[in-house]
Amino acid sequence: TTKAKDELRSAYIYLYNVDGYNSIANDQNNQRTSTIEKEISESGTYFIRVQNSGFGEYSLSVSFSGSSD
């Protein structure tokens, strides 16, 4: 989840798979808060990209939940 601060008009967030090139989820809703929820079955390294419209600070929070296997 990204949360834009005062001057930032909107925040966009993208989740890329292990190759770092293919976006597997995104939120481009033109709002100040963007959220991605994605179930991922393959372990590995994933990449998050945050892009803005306007300027200013944002906060980023990430949470994970493990499988019950």
Side-chain angles (χ1 to χ4, degrees):
T1 301
T2 61
K3 175 105 173 120
K5 305 258 176 153
D6 297 330
E7 299 86 7
L8 195 56
R9 292 187 297 272
S10 58
Y12 312 112
I13 187 170
Y14 306 85
L15 178 64
Y16 291 90
N17 67 358
V18 295
D19 69 13
Y21 295 104
N22 296 311
S23 176
I24 57 174
N26 68 70
D27 185 349
Q28 302 173 346
N29 65 11
N30 292 320
Q31 302 295 317
R32 293 184 58 175
T33 300
S34 297
T35 301
I36 292 177
E37 292 184 21
K38 178 72 176 170
E39 185 174 316
I40 298 174
S41 58
E42 184 180 340
S43 64
T45 301
Y46 292 82
F47 304 90
I48 298 171
R49 174 181 162 204
V50 177
Q51 182 178 348
N52 66 0
S53 173
F55 61 93
E57 299 177 4
Y58 65 88
S59 63
L60 174 67
S61 60
V62 178
S63 62
F64 302 95
S65 59
S67 67
S68 58
D69 295 298

